[in-house]
Amino acid sequence: MYREWRIGVSVAAIMAMRGNPVMDHASRSQHQTQADASSISSTNPTASSPLPTQTPPWGALWVMALGLAMIVLDSSIVNVSIPTIIADIGINLTDAQWVTSLYNIVLAALLLPFGKLGDARGRKLVFQVGTVIFVASSTLAAASQGAGMLLAARVLQGIGGAMIMPNTLSTVSALFRGRYRAAAFGVWGAVMSSAAALGPLLGGVFTETLGWRWIFLVNLPLGIAVFVSAIFLVPQTGGDASVAGAADAARDARSHRVGVDIPGVVLSALTSALLVFGLIEGETYGWWKQTSTQLKLGGLSWNRDWLSPVPICLIAGALLLAAFIVFESARGKAGWPVMLDMTLFRIRTFSWGNLAAAAIAAGEFALVFMLPLYLINARGLNTLQAGAMLAVMGLGSIVAGAQAHVMAAKLTPAGVIQLGLVIEIIAVALVAVLMPVGLSVWWQLIPMAAYGLGLGFASAQLTSVVLSEVPIMQSGEGSATQSTVRQLGTAVGSAISGASLAMAVNGTLPARLESLGLPAKVGDGLAQAVSGSAGGVIGVFRSGDGPAARFGDEAPKIADAMTSGFIEGGQWTLLVAGIMLFIGLLASVAVRRAASSHNVR
């Protein structure tokens, strides 16, 4: 159950992309910045786009938002259908785990290379190719009759998603400047957050009515609509869509930098894949010593009882990250093409903004991870009821998105970020307070709606601010960097939420069970069953069936104790979520100062 509800990368991917608008004079000065060859040392000089002097293309905004919503929906919609998929096509639990993990790992590994490709060859082109790949692979996934075909389709979906995600964000950042920027990112963020919240609900509806294959087939009409609309509504940015004069000067000054950084592509992909895998799979395979679950992929397996593959992946990922930073810095100084221009991190809104985004992504994932488990396992709601409650967060995001430009005009975009984070932190605290079974579960709708409101204010505006000073020709590179950072932040959230829940349950539940007269060994075993199943075993004891039958009349009392212990563990998990959001709030203070100093200049 723990694996079935790990909504990590999915929900996290969307909620995770965030930013802040830039002032008019900053956007007007962008051409000047791009013409300075020394200030942008690593991008394709042709990868710029015109700054709109008239009303920007709002149709393009909706196409980009729908494209990313498709990716986000696919992430969150799949998780609730895993048990049905297992039963229908006969895959084992290990393969089922890879259905979600493989997509997330491939997605994280390829965000930066495809964001860079969009800068070099045209963001619209990469976006449309990614849409074709994603739709085709979704059709393949829907037709799957076994594990091999389904896993191959998920890999292809990850490739298509990695082509779509960074190029939606970079296109919006390139097309919307000045006074239009806050409104554009408000719409963009509201659509993304709503898609994340609606994913579990739609997954439950499709699985229980049309069948699980429709969680993939729904991408077919969406993808066709996105592809066709993009032809007519989305201007080309990046690639050959260069600014006359500024881009030509940059091209002449930096023609020696044009090329492909193959080592950088390999290092960035391996680094992201290893770190994301290690963080999201720590609870499954063990943080140091291997658990009873053995890592298997195809014909390969890891069978070392004394050592889990997780620490090896994390150490290797950290070493490759250090090598990537050193390697890319050296290539940039030498005037060679690079995968990531390290001088971007000299932009304070970009560097501090990415730090804030990572911390916020970790905190938000912990909440989104915990809520479905709490609603279904502790409070006894079915999938559709839980999904409907989670969809309320999407409504809050829509309201916030509609008001984003108004709030940004009053508070500045950075101020809207901080307001949103404060609302999120208060909402998380209220969710924790209202968790005990003595209170009606429907009271949770109030803080959930408030959380969605805060999310809508904070997420999109943070993305806008992070990219506000990034040269337009490097929008894909900057967007992909932030998306990758957010993915890593979500993976950290996966690690800390799972670990905190397990530690809290194993630390508090045994005493409750022993108070019922159960032997300490039995209490410890039941506590481990609760943490290992993320509360899934509670329903078994409520019904008194299966292994609970041997406890007779004590089974309901044990279920009540399990519920109380699981809720307490959930409250500790939400405390960790609040702490991570608070760290993001502190980082946002630095973002606001950096944005203010830039606007003054």
Side-chain angles (χ1 to χ4, degrees), residues 228-255:
V228 175
S229 299
I231 296 174
F232 301 102
L233 298 178
V234 179
Q236 179 65 278
T237 63
D240 295 330
S242 56
V243 180
D248 291 339
R251 182 183 299 109
D252 293 339
R254 299 185 293 120
S255 58

Side-chain angles (χ1 to χ4, degrees), residues 82-96 144-148 150 212-213:
I82 290 297
T84 305
I85 295 174
I86 292 175
D88 190 41
I89 63 176
I91 64 176
N92 58 40
L93 181 60
T94 300
D95 290 332
S144 297
Q145 299 297 327
L150 181 57
W212 68 266
R213 298 182 189 277

Side-chain angles (χ1 to χ4, degrees), residues 3 6 97 101 276-286 310:
R3 295 287 308 151
R6 184 170 277 177
Q97 291 170 352
S101 298
V276 169
F277 171 82
L279 289 168
I280 67 176
E281 301 297 343
E283 286 296 310
T284 302
Y285 300 111
V310 169

Side-chain angles (χ1 to χ4, degrees), residues 169 173 177 181 350 463-470 475 478-479:
L169 182 55
S173 182
R177 317 300 292 180
R181 192 172 175 86
F350 185 78
T463 299
S464 175
V465 166
V466 169
L467 299 177
S468 62
E469 296 179 57
V470 174
S475 292
S479 301

